[in-house]
Amino acid sequence: MVAASPRARRRISILGATGSIGTSTLAVIAERPDDFEVVAVTGNDNAAKLAEIARAVGARLAVIANPAAYAVLKDALAGTGIEAATGDSAVVDAAARPADIVIAAIVGAAGLVPTMAAIEAGAQVALANKECLVCAGELFIAAARRAGPPILPVDSEHNAIFQALGGHAIDTVEKIILTASGGPFRDWTVDAMAAVTPQQALRHPNWSMGPKITVDSATMMNKGLEIIEAYHLFGLSGDKVEVLVHPQSAVHGIVAFRDGSMLAQMSAPDMRTPIAHCLAWPERTESGSPRLDLAALGSLTFERPDPRRFPALRIAREALAAGGWATNIMNAANEIAVDAFLRHRIGFLEIAELVEETVARAAGLATETPASTEAALNLDREGRRIALELMQARAGLGIAS
Ligand code: NDP
């Protein structure tokens, strides 16, 4: 047998290196540092942490989006030979630097332009930033087709589906199942949910993640975003994307094929596994994640989500059916609403209410799927404006807390 020739070091850039996915990516790289070379790392505010990361991995470029944080980054990297830069356009430049893989892990619609730049530069994009697809999925998929390499899903459920599909054509698939932990309020009554505090919503039972996605998990808007993400990534209509609540978070996704076979992917609820899958694809590498102990788990349970307590799922399905304009507006409104909830400006149940009202209001103004990144960004701004206006109106009426 002839020994396989060693693979060249893979050049990696990490957009959102200071966040939760960024941290997990760095942990996977640390498992096999000789296999990877870090080209660029980016952050938004946390310049001290970004400088520490850039030094630790020997990145060539570190970019902090917020100019107010640049002085800290520049000072911390002085004399290291690591290039420092700031501003949104510098983040885009970092994304477009020649690299084999770009980890797209900026949170929210802020990741749209840099992620698109990475795709257009021809890098293999490992996508965590699901909001990109919800804002402008048609544009992303078209750009990825033009550029060549497929988008690799980092999101654990979509990564599971990608693995379970195993290269089968999508017309062999009857449906896919995305699992949801159900979040911290899976068993709570509506009345109890009305009084939920940000601290309670930020305590996820199974996953450790950034604040926005943790709140999205609690409202189940995260699963709504993921239905739309699956539609774009796999080309499956919404009615073929089922959601089941699976509190153990051991099975992440299931593909049900035409012949009755169901293939599931399982792993401990730790993002290092899907990230390692993307970093090594089509091969495999160590992730450093804990192993599932099935005997210790004992049983795996699945149940349908309760649409009354978790309206975000219905709202997302309706937006998907309405078209790209509606998913874009829904995402913008959700970003505003989650931020307002975390700042104690609206209640937990008001997140979904505000999102639904914003999409309904926008329906009178826009019904076109954005045909360019600029159009997607304009629509996103419009969605934010409407959501803020509705929030102010609620506060004026004494509805918002
Ligand atoms: P975090 O909040 O932990 O990290 C977000 C990252 O984005 C940070 O590096 C932050 O920089 C940076 N950032 C924030 N705003 C901007 C901006 N305006 N411009 C440039 N950079 C910005 O989020 P997560 O890591 O949890 O999530 C990242 C993405 O991955 C989200 O889209 C999420 O839905 C998705 N995802 C996350 C999972 C998880 O387990 N965490 C699982 C599946 C998907 P700074 O730290 O300096 O503010």
Side-chain angles (χ1 to χ4, degrees):
M1 205 163 89
V2 181
S5 56
R7 190 150 92 166
R9 290 181 95 196
R10 303 193 102 182
R11 295 166 305 162
I12 308 232
S13 290
I14 309 170
L15 312 177
T18 50
S20 167
I21 291 287
T23 303
S24 294
T25 303
L26 292 160
V28 174
I29 291 173
E31 290 287 317
R32 304 278 299 225
D34 292 343
D35 290 355
F36 303 105
E37 180 188 332
V38 178
V39 176
V41 288
T42 78
N44 189 40
D45 284 314
N46 200 343
K49 185 169 179 185
L50 184 67
E52 196 183 302
I53 291 168
R55 295 175 84 121
V57 297
R60 273 180 253 153
L61 168 68
V63 177
I64 197 82
N66 181 356
Y70 181 54
V72 173
L73 181 72
K74 210 170 155 219
D75 286 354
L77 292 180
T80 61
I82 301 169
E83 191 186 337
T86 188
D88 290 340
S89 61
V91 176
V92 174
D93 289 345
R97 284 266 168 119
D100 298 308
I101 307 179
V102 174
I103 304 285
I106 292 174
V107 62
L112 203 152
V113 176
T115 306
M116 186 63 93
I119 289 177
E120 285 173 346
Q124 177 85 68
V125 169
L127 185 76
N129 182 202
K130 64 191 91 184
E131 294 92 344
C132 281
L133 288 180
V134 178
C135 272
E138 286 80 5
L139 297 175
F140 270 93
I141 299 304
R145 286 213 180 102
R146 279 195 302 272
I151 295 174
L152 296 179
V154 169
D155 214 353
S156 56
E157 297 78 1
H158 304 72
N159 185 269
I161 300 296
F162 185 82
Q163 293 198 45
L165 269 173
H168 281 90
I170 207 65
D171 63 3
T172 63
V173 174
E174 211 161 64
K175 66 172 180 184
I176 61 171
I177 299 171
L178 308 178
T179 61
S181 69
F185 314 125
R186 181 170 59 88
D187 298 328
W188 289 36
T189 62
V190 173
D191 285 348
M193 284 165 82
V196 157
T197 64
Q199 287 81 347
Q200 288 170 313
L202 288 173
R203 236 178 276 134
H204 195 281
N206 301 347
W207 295 94
S208 163
M209 310 181 284
K212 194 253 175 188
I213 184 173
T214 306
V215 175
D216 284 345
S217 296
T219 59
M220 287 194 76
M221 177 53 90
N222 183 46
K223 222 42 62 177
L225 299 174
E226 288 179 4
I227 293 170
I228 299 164
E229 184 183 10
Y231 163 81
H232 288 298
L233 283 176
F234 304 116
L236 280 170
S237 55
D239 59 330
K240 291 189 169 178
V241 184
E242 189 177 334
V243 170
L244 287 181
V245 174
H246 166 53
Q248 298 81 21
S249 295
V251 175
H252 304 296
I254 304 168
V255 178
F257 289 95
R258 221 160 54 183
D259 60 6
S261 300
M262 294 174 94
L263 295 191
Q265 184 269 350
M266 302 173 73
S267 58
D270 189 307
M271 288 308 294
R272 283 173 292 179
T273 294
I275 291 169
H277 176 259
C278 292
L279 289 184
W281 186 82
E283 295 168 23
R284 296 269 178 181
T285 189
E286 284 75 16
S287 68
S289 65
R291 298 309 190 240
L292 258 191
D293 181 342
L294 292 175
L297 267 176
S299 60
L300 302 177
T301 60
F302 299 89
E303 61 198 65
R304 294 191 203 290
D306 177 356
R308 204 175 51 91
R309 290 181 304 125
F310 297 101
L313 283 173
R314 172 186 53 76
I315 295 168
R317 285 194 186 280
E318 287 174 1
L320 179 59
W325 69 269
T327 58
N328 179 304
I329 297 280
M330 181 194 83
N331 179 69
N334 185 54
E335 288 194 31
I336 293 290
V338 170
D339 183 64
F341 167 69
L342 287 173
R343 293 170 193 269
H344 300 268
R345 291 190 58 201
I346 63 171
F348 182 72
L349 295 179
E350 285 181 279
I351 298 175
E353 287 172 14
L354 192 65
V355 172
E356 188 164 24
E357 281 172 28
T358 306
V359 178
R361 171 77 67 92
L365 307 170
T367 48
E368 298 282 328
T369 295
S372 64
T373 310
E374 204 178 26
L377 291 173
N378 284 339
L379 202 54
D380 174 78
R381 274 191 283 274
E382 187 62 4
R384 285 164 201 269
R385 187 191 63 74
I386 297 172
L388 284 169
E389 208 174 273
L390 289 171
M391 210 164 69
Q392 272 153 14
R394 277 171 165 259
L397 292 171
I399 300 173
S401 43

